[in-house]
Amino acid sequence: MNKFIRKTVASVLLSAILVTSSAPVIASGLPSIIHERNESKHISSGVIHEHIERFTTSGWWNINVIRVDLTNPYTKIQGMIDSNGLSNRNSVSNMVRNTGAVAGINGDYFSYSPLPNSIGTLINEGEVISSPIEKAPYAAPSIFMNNDNKTTIGYMDRSIKVLNKTQGRNISPYTINRIPDKFLNIGLINSKWGAKSFGNRFNKDLVEVVVNNGIVTDIRVDQPAIDIPKDGYILFARGENGNLLKSFKINDELDLDIKVTPNLEDIKFAIGGGSIILKDGIPTLTNIHSGGNNPRTGIGVNKDNTELILVTIDGRGSYRGIGQKQFGSLMKDLGAYDSLNLDGGGSTTMAVKAIDDKEVTLANSPSGGSERRVVNGVGVYSDAPVEELDYIELEADDSFMFANTRRRLTVKGFDKHRNPIPLDSSKLNYTVEGVEGEFSNNQFISKSTGTANITVNYDDKSANSKIHVIDGIDHIDTYMKEFTLEKGGSKELPNFNAYDGNGNRTRLFKEDVQLSVVNDIGYIDDMGIFHANEFDSSGVITAKAGNGVANIFVSIGESKHLDAKNPLVPKSSVERDIKRVANIKNAEGYSIGVTMDTKNLNEIVKYDATSNVKKELNQHDASIFLGGASKDFTNGISNELQFHSDNNYKKRKYKDISFINLNTSKRGIRLTDLTQWDKLQKDLNDLDTKNLILTTSTPVFGSGGFSDIKEAELFHELLREASKKGINVFVVQRHNQTNSQTKDGIRYINLNSSNIINAEGINNLPILEFVVNGSDISFQIRPLFPKK
């Protein structure tokens, strides 16, 4: 619940500022989508969890959606509260776990003072857990579902009467399981509230009338809290209404009559919210107006009343959140026709527990870094019967691997309601096409490179999965660099990471690594557990895979670790880039030189250094000028192609290389010129060359890189997709230093483009040179003016 609402919620019922009777239509469209990732999964019969990560012209949205098929007979919606009652807050994850739901979101707005209590309605199966707000003049909207699952978003009303049959008069409690303002109106609490009454914790003059099985059993003033009867309730008030309650007598017979509009007996579920944000397909606002781009939670129903839609959108960190006015438009975009805004801000939470999952998963990212405890939520439940096996699913622990290593496979069976069905592992039959390989204990061991199309058959059911297999482990490492053990102790060894010379990385299991012990320190058993000797010693456990070598330094007892320079220690492999080599172009080859305009260089160094730069560039067939270049500088440079990496988006082609320039001067593509995203995605899709060189005004990652790390990751993801198609991708970045890094096959090359301010600075002026010989491309970086 956001800060504004917390401050005002106690007086919502009395404030005309937050409550309006009309519903102004809001013209609030949605920003354009730059890129979207959408994943969906059936989590039970008739229930789908959909995760949408949307990059828009306004920033990132992280959207989670639960879609509930209202025509499914095995699915129901219920309000969730803590098992100890409404006055006890709990996290949505715990409420999902404790109530057996398959999914849940946070619910109504609530107040903290003097105890947690919701602002409006909560009804389950015709039982009023928290009473609606009276329809006039302070009504807040609710969503309510009848016994036929017809769902309505609108306003409810209630009538609460207690007839004192002994005295022949009525009283009208104002709330059920909510706290009236300052306790001045009569309230009613029952076992759904919690275990105890209020007593004199907050007000010495609070009057409590205890009713058990319709009979007044106690009348209390300025006394400690008392147990709430399981088969009764407690009336409470202070002030004039407190005096009214004092007129009750012990043994008075009371008759409680609760009516709700619409008919309570026909309400399967209802929960209150802050504002109607979508009505008849038109975005609107009715009640609580919560401004700003914030996390939001909403619930809606489609036009045909066949689907209930539960939505959260995050709004902290990399995610911008959404304005309440736009939230209605988003709900419409997601398929709703009518929608209600629930509590948001730090309360926004969605938790999911698919039928086949053992644990509850937090689907969204709460703005406070962890879940806020709330008073209620909306739970989705499934009671579908378990039937015969309908289908199976196959999943590998990674979609990428090196040849002669393994991936672990998981096969799950389900009936038509998504209930998990146990499988007999002895009946699983695996086959593979596209590569050579073998299977052992639900593991695939590759023997060649390519795309492994794996199929598993189980009786007449089958499922498929693909794994990309490459060769050439060049380097391995692990997080465990060293450890010390007591004499005779043991330690489980870790898994390892493997890299090739193109920066591709994946996990290796211990079974795929050759482990050996250097020096007499102990032994490694078949389970990958090291057992130390019974005497002081030190040595190394060496792991080898392909050309990769990694060492783990081990000390037993009082011995010190060996030095890495010790002749006993094998030489560890290091990460390298197989394309960063100094090659010479052959007769059919060509080359590209990359540097920058050396403005005022001659004046600074006191000789004609610029001519030397031009001479170097003229040795190449094409040139790239980072930051662009003046006519004075390019005069005398005679390349076939000159590509100016300036402040304009542009694309050029030279033989088998495409050049794209991006302006990222505001530390990002969108913030600098968002129209570049559309051009970039189109140009990447249309590439018809084997090689791609992109130039940027700033680095993508690291110091000085994109301020939006998710935009940087998206940029990298798109380049990685191009790389998977066999395109060699290089990103040349203006920076204040010169280096290169290879990540997932993409080369990020920083070139020092700082202004030279003194004669010594000329030694930091680099040139990047690409050489293309047939299908091979390589690069090197060297100083234009090396130190003598």
Side-chain angles (χ1 to χ4, degrees), residues 380-404:
V380 183
Y381 300 84
S382 176
D383 61 359
V386 178
E387 300 189 13
E388 64 182 14
L389 178 68
D390 185 60
Y391 64 99
I392 61 174
E393 291 181 353
L394 170 64
E395 182 177 312
D397 62 357
D398 199 337
S399 61
F400 167 74
M401 67 187 300
F402 285 102
N404 299 309

Side-chain angles (χ1 to χ4, degrees), residues 299-314:
I299 185 168
V301 64
N302 67 351
K303 187 174 183 179
D304 297 333
N305 204 91
T306 58
E307 184 177 70
L308 193 70
I309 303 168
L310 287 64
V311 177
T312 64
I313 179 168
D314 293 335

Side-chain angles (χ1 to χ4, degrees), residues 476 494-496 508-515 542-545:
I476 63 172
N495 291 320
F496 292 79
L508 291 182
F509 298 107
K510 292 188 289 288
E511 298 93 325
D512 296 322
V513 176
Q514 295 177 331
L515 295 169
T542 297
K544 294 182 180 179

Side-chain angles (χ1 to χ4, degrees), residues 43 47-49 64-68 76-80 91-97 99-107 271 297-299 310-312 342 347-354 360-364 371 374 376-381:
I43 59 175
V47 183
I48 295 173
H49 171 223
N64 279 280
V65 184
I66 298 293
R67 298 187 182 275
V68 182
K76 72 174 183 178
I77 307 297
Q78 290 279 271
M80 302 187 299
S91 68
V92 173
S93 290
N94 280 338
M95 287 192 282
V96 166
R97 182 180 297 109
T99 64
V102 296
I105 58 174
N106 64 287
I271 196 167
T297 303
I299 185 168
L310 287 64
V311 177
T312 64
L342 300 175
S347 296
T348 288
T349 312
M350 178 182 289
V352 175
K353 184 183 180 300
V360 177
T361 300
L362 191 60
N364 75 313
E371 290 184 73
V374 295
N376 62 28
V378 181
V380 183
Y381 300 84

Side-chain angles (χ1 to χ4, degrees), residues 142-370:
S142 301
I143 182 169
F144 40 97
M145 180 183 296
N146 71 9
N147 292 321
D148 294 324
N149 282 353
K150 177 174 174 54
T151 303
T152 304
I153 295 175
Y155 296 90
M156 305 180 72
D157 205 350
R158 84 285 186 274
S159 169
I160 311 168
K161 294 188 181 298
V162 174
L163 170 61
N164 190 323
K165 297 169 69 174
T166 303
Q167 298 185 19
R169 58 193 180 89
N170 292 333
I171 63 167
S172 298
Y174 192 66
T175 61
I176 297 175
N177 292 325
R178 299 201 339 256
I179 301 176
D181 187 37
K182 299 179 182 179
F183 294 89
L184 293 175
N185 285 309
I186 298 173
L188 182 155
I189 53 175
N190 56 30
S191 59
K192 295 296 184 181
W193 171 257
K196 296 283 187 179
S197 70
F198 304 105
N200 55 9
R201 281 180 292 173
F202 309 110
N203 298 281
K204 300 296 184 183
D205 62 339
L206 186 70
V207 179
E208 295 182 324
V209 175
V210 183
V211 183
N212 195 357
N213 288 310
I215 303 298
V216 175
T217 60
D218 200 359
I219 300 172
R220 305 163 58 83
V221 181
D222 193 18
Q223 295 187 44
I226 191 173
D227 291 344
I228 299 174
K230 291 183 179 180
D231 296 316
Y233 53 90
I234 294 179
L235 300 170
F236 62 91
R238 52 190 291 265
E240 292 184 8
N241 284 308
N243 292 331
L244 180 61
L245 291 181
K246 287 180 183 179
S247 65
F248 280 57
K249 305 296 182 183
I250 293 177
N251 294 323
D252 277 358
E253 184 179 355
L254 306 185
D255 187 15
L256 175 62
D257 181 33
I258 302 172
K259 290 185 172 63
V260 169
T261 304
N263 186 4
L264 180 60
E265 294 179 357
D266 195 36
I267 296 179
K268 180 189 295 185
F269 159 74
I271 196 167
S275 179
I276 299 173
I277 55 175
L278 184 67
K279 186 65 176 175
D280 298 333
I282 300 173
T284 185
L285 285 179
T286 59
N287 294 76
I288 297 177
H289 295 194
S290 173
N293 293 320
N294 289 298
R296 304 281 177 184
T297 303
I299 185 168
V301 64
N302 67 351
K303 187 174 183 179
D304 297 333
N305 204 91
T306 58
E307 184 177 70
L308 193 70
I309 303 168
L310 287 64
V311 177
T312 64
I313 179 168
D314 293 335
R316 299 292 186 268
S318 297
Y319 302 115
R320 73 183 303 271
I322 191 170
Q324 193 175 3
K325 296 178 181 179
Q326 277 191 326
F327 194 27
S329 296
L330 177 63
M331 293 296 295
K332 181 178 180 179
D333 182 64
L334 295 172
Y337 189 66
D338 295 300
S339 183
L340 178 69
N341 185 59
L342 300 175
D343 191 13
S347 296
T348 288
T349 312
M350 178 182 289
V352 175
K353 184 183 180 300
I355 290 292
D356 58 312
D357 286 343
K358 294 181 180 179
E359 295 295 330
V360 177
T361 300
L362 191 60
N364 75 313
S365 300
S367 62
S370 60

